[in-house]
Amino acid sequence: MISSIPTRRKVVFLTIDDGWEQDPGFVRQVRDGRIPVAAFVTRDAVEARGAADPTAQGGRYLGAGKWDYVREMREAGVTIENHTLTHPDLRALGYEGQRAEICGASRLIRRQVGTGPWLLRPPFGNHNTLTRRAAKACGVKALLLWTATVQPGGKIAYQVPDKKLRPGDVLLLHFRPNLSRDFRVLVSKIKRRGFEIGNLDAYLEAAGVTR
Ligand SMILES: [Zn+2]
């Protein structure tokens, strides 16, 4: 289980969750700027089923492209990771239920984008020992949490009192309206503070997480 990446370099990592809102401007920015991002996608968000995640703050169905959008992200260099099928609180499920959520999402992502995920972000950050067992059975190598969330407007909500970015911080965004505008604000803020945006896979591999 990982919340931040061990490094002394001034580097932070961008992750983005769910997939309710599909903003083409975001894909262009990532592609043109070669910005490393990991997207943790939920089937029901990408396919616009069920109820929107309240923590996505305004995310709504705009999934006209559905998995095409996820494939476009993949082609733009975004890594596509596991955020379950239906976005449940995994702690409320038994082992088989958790396994179905995690393995189902991994199989679907592999089928839709060609490469299977190696990371799981449990919805709401909630997990227990069964989650780790089930994730392992589904080929997931690590659970990735986060150290700060990014709010509408590109504002960083820190979990530490001094409100500073730290080397190895993992920032959590959501696919929500105005993502490309907020993303631009966020990226320039990170660079102004002298930080780079790191490639999560490369740093995890250097930290000893193996596929
Ligand atoms: Zn989520």
Side-chain angles (χ1 to χ4, degrees):
M1 212 209 16
I2 296 166
S3 300
S4 66
I5 310 301
T7 179
R8 287 182 176 176
R9 293 179 66 175
K10 288 187 80 176
V11 61
V12 296
F13 301 88
L14 301 183
T15 65
I16 179 157
D17 281 12
D18 304 334
W20 299 107
E21 186 91 13
Q22 303 190 340
D23 179 346
F26 169 71
V27 179
R28 275 196 299 275
Q29 269 180 68
V30 167
R31 184 194 298 119
D32 297 350
R34 296 167 178 267
I35 303 167
V37 179
F40 290 78
V41 298
T42 301
R43 179 199 62 191
D44 285 3
V46 172
E47 299 185 1
R49 309 187 194 192
D53 173 7
T55 61
Q57 293 176 320
R60 58 194 152 90
Y61 295 154
L62 229 165
K66 311 253 166 138
W67 286 97
D68 284 346
Y69 183 77
V70 180
R71 282 188 285 272
E72 281 165 26
M73 285 199 292
R74 181 73 202 95
E75 282 157 23
V78 175
T79 54
I80 309 301
E81 303 292 356
N82 191 327
H83 196 42
T84 74
L85 291 172
T86 70
H87 209 280
D89 178 350
L90 289 169
R91 295 173 309 183
L93 301 178
Y95 175 75
E96 285 306 326
Q98 295 202 31
R99 197 169 174 276
E101 283 280 346
I102 300 166
C103 284
S106 283
R107 272 195 301 271
L108 180 61
I109 290 167
R110 185 182 301 280
R111 194 163 72 235
Q112 293 288 353
V113 306
T115 41
W118 72 317
L119 304 174
L120 169 71
R121 174 162 282 152
F124 318 105
N126 293 343
H127 58 90
N128 58 21
T129 52
L130 297 179
T131 313
R132 293 193 286 279
R133 256 181 60 206
K136 197 171 179 188
C138 301
V140 166
K141 306 301 182 187
L143 269 59
L144 187 77
L145 301 180
W146 60 91
T147 50
T149 57
V150 180
Q151 305 298 318
K155 189 178 180 327
I156 302 171
Y158 299 91
Q159 291 173 350
V160 288
D162 67 359
K163 299 193 185 305
K164 275 186 183 161
L165 285 176
R166 288 175 160 68
D169 269 351
V170 176
L171 305 188
L172 164 62
L173 296 90
H174 286 95
F175 289 96
R176 61 161 76 98
N178 302 314
L179 173 63
S180 52
R181 186 197 63 194
D182 293 354
F183 192 75
R184 185 170 291 116
V185 171
L186 175 70
V187 167
S188 62
K189 188 180 290 181
I190 290 167
K191 291 189 172 160
R192 254 195 337 267
R193 294 184 189 181
F195 279 79
E196 285 173 46
I197 296 160
N199 182 306
L200 185 62
D201 281 9
Y203 273 81
L204 284 175
E205 281 167 20
V209 183
T210 49
R211 281 179 190 271

